[in-house]
Amino acid sequence: MSDNGSLANVDVDETVPHQLANGHDDSRQRAESGDNDFPAWTEVLKTKKESEVDQRIHDLEAEMARIRRQIDSLKSDVEDSSWLKALVCAEGAAFRSAVATALKTLGYKVTPGPRGHADLIAWDGNVVLVLRADGTKSNAKNRDMVQCMTWSGEATVAQLTPDDERSDLLRDYVSIMRQLGVPVTDAADADDQMVRCRGVLIVNTFRESPLDERPIARPEIPDFTSPQLIADHALFALTGLQLMCMALEAGDNERAARDVRARFASQSGVLEGYTDWQDAIHR
């Protein structure tokens, strides 16, 4: 400072007024960045606006969580219904799994049959279904019918044979049927108590063809090569597409499911109808 009290020789940071004028207050920046070293007890001090904003954030986060749960549930529903597609495009184990799921939705208990024999065995408390289930690039062949007829015969013989005379294969049939709840007896007079078994042939025919190019659109190409033989041997035959339409039509409707089970129990030959997939499938 000069003798006359002037501030001429005092060092002044000329940037300060400029920073303040442009809102560059360091204390404000620290507050906005959360760098202030405030005591912990100040965390509970909130303005009315802060409280309202915090509550709004809380409500939005809760809404987001609810929406996420809904989305996850919907995605799960889509994944759970993927077996329907397998009924019209799969073969082997994937197709058999889809058939089992479809039959369960119709009210059956279902399990695989003895290894190398019945693909599936199903029970609804009335009739035992012994199934041949597979996919093919063309139509179902006579060998599929013969296998189905053979396996249903084995299941019938297993019930009629006294326990001490059953082969290992027949014992397997009996064990599997009992697991399903079928009342199989060991008595020699089992024919009086035998539960009816019938062969069901479910084939995913022309599985590599789009739905609108299959026999439903081209009736000159049959799904099954020997429909009369199927009927003559009291077998029931249908395609994977028809089973899909059955399952979709029945849905959660027990009366419709009961009608479908009645078809499986009594109808012989190749199923007619249940091909109107356009009402249930969108492309």
Side-chain angles (χ1 to χ4, degrees), residues 86-87 90-99:
L87 288 175
E91 64 177 337
F95 181 68
R96 289 190 285 275
S97 176
V99 169

Short mmCIF file of all heavy atoms in Angstrom, two decimals, residues 86-87 90-99:
data_model
loop_
_atom_site.label_atom_id
_atom_site.label_comp_id
_atom_site.label_asym_id
_atom_site.label_seq_id
_atom_site.Cartn_x
_atom_site.Cartn_y
_atom_site.Cartn_z
N ALA A 86 -42.89 -76.19 -32.19
CA ALA A 86 -42.25 -77.49 -32.34
C ALA A 86 -43.21 -78.52 -32.91
O ALA A 86 -42.80 -79.45 -33.62
CB ALA A 86 -41.70 -77.96 -31.00
N LEU A 87 -44.50 -78.36 -32.64
CA LEU A 87 -45.49 -79.31 -33.16
C LEU A 87 -45.58 -79.29 -34.68
O LEU A 87 -46.04 -80.26 -35.29
CB LEU A 87 -46.87 -79.02 -32.57
CG LEU A 87 -47.08 -79.37 -31.10
CD1 LEU A 87 -48.45 -78.90 -30.63
CD2 LEU A 87 -46.94 -80.88 -30.87
N ALA A 90 -40.71 -79.66 -35.71
CA ALA A 90 -39.68 -80.48 -35.07
C ALA A 90 -39.83 -81.96 -35.38
O ALA A 90 -40.82 -82.41 -35.96
CB ALA A 90 -39.71 -80.26 -33.56
N GLU A 91 -38.82 -82.71 -34.97
CA GLU A 91 -38.83 -84.16 -35.06
C GLU A 91 -38.14 -84.72 -33.81
O GLU A 91 -37.61 -83.98 -32.99
CB GLU A 91 -38.10 -84.63 -36.32
CG GLU A 91 -36.63 -84.28 -36.32
CD GLU A 91 -35.89 -84.82 -37.54
OE1 GLU A 91 -36.38 -85.81 -38.14
OE2 GLU A 91 -34.82 -84.29 -37.89
N GLY A 92 -38.13 -86.03 -33.67
CA GLY A 92 -37.40 -86.67 -32.59
C GLY A 92 -37.84 -86.22 -31.21
O GLY A 92 -39.02 -85.98 -30.93
N ALA A 93 -36.84 -86.07 -30.32
CA ALA A 93 -37.12 -85.75 -28.92
C ALA A 93 -37.84 -84.41 -28.76
O ALA A 93 -38.72 -84.27 -27.91
CB ALA A 93 -35.81 -85.74 -28.12
N ALA A 94 -37.47 -83.44 -29.58
CA ALA A 94 -38.10 -82.11 -29.48
C ALA A 94 -39.59 -82.21 -29.82
O ALA A 94 -40.42 -81.58 -29.16
CB ALA A 94 -37.41 -81.12 -30.41
N PHE A 95 -39.91 -83.01 -30.83
CA PHE A 95 -41.32 -83.17 -31.20
C PHE A 95 -42.07 -83.93 -30.12
O PHE A 95 -43.19 -83.57 -29.74
CB PHE A 95 -41.44 -83.88 -32.54
CG PHE A 95 -42.86 -84.07 -32.99
CD1 PHE A 95 -43.64 -82.98 -33.36
CD2 PHE A 95 -43.43 -85.33 -33.04
CE1 PHE A 95 -44.96 -83.13 -33.77
CE2 PHE A 95 -44.75 -85.51 -33.46
CZ PHE A 95 -45.51 -84.40 -33.81
N ARG A 96 -41.47 -84.98 -29.59
CA ARG A 96 -42.14 -85.76 -28.54
C ARG A 96 -42.39 -84.92 -27.30
O ARG A 96 -43.43 -85.05 -26.65
CB ARG A 96 -41.31 -87.01 -28.21
CG ARG A 96 -41.35 -88.05 -29.33
CD ARG A 96 -40.72 -89.37 -28.88
NE ARG A 96 -39.27 -89.29 -28.82
CZ ARG A 96 -38.48 -89.49 -29.87
NH1 ARG A 96 -39.00 -89.75 -31.06
NH2 ARG A 96 -37.16 -89.43 -29.74
N SER A 97 -41.43 -84.07 -26.96
CA SER A 97 -41.62 -83.18 -25.82
C SER A 97 -42.80 -82.23 -26.05
O SER A 97 -43.60 -81.98 -25.14
CB SER A 97 -40.34 -82.38 -25.57
OG SER A 97 -40.51 -81.44 -24.52
N ALA A 98 -42.91 -81.71 -27.27
CA ALA A 98 -44.03 -80.81 -27.59
C ALA A 98 -45.36 -81.55 -27.55
O ALA A 98 -46.37 -81.02 -27.07
CB ALA A 98 -43.80 -80.18 -28.97
N VAL A 99 -45.37 -82.78 -28.05
CA VAL A 99 -46.59 -83.58 -28.00
C VAL A 99 -47.00 -83.83 -26.55
O VAL A 99 -48.19 -83.72 -26.20
CB VAL A 99 -46.39 -84.92 -28.74
CG1 VAL A 99 -47.56 -85.88 -28.47
CG2 VAL A 99 -46.25 -84.69 -30.24
#
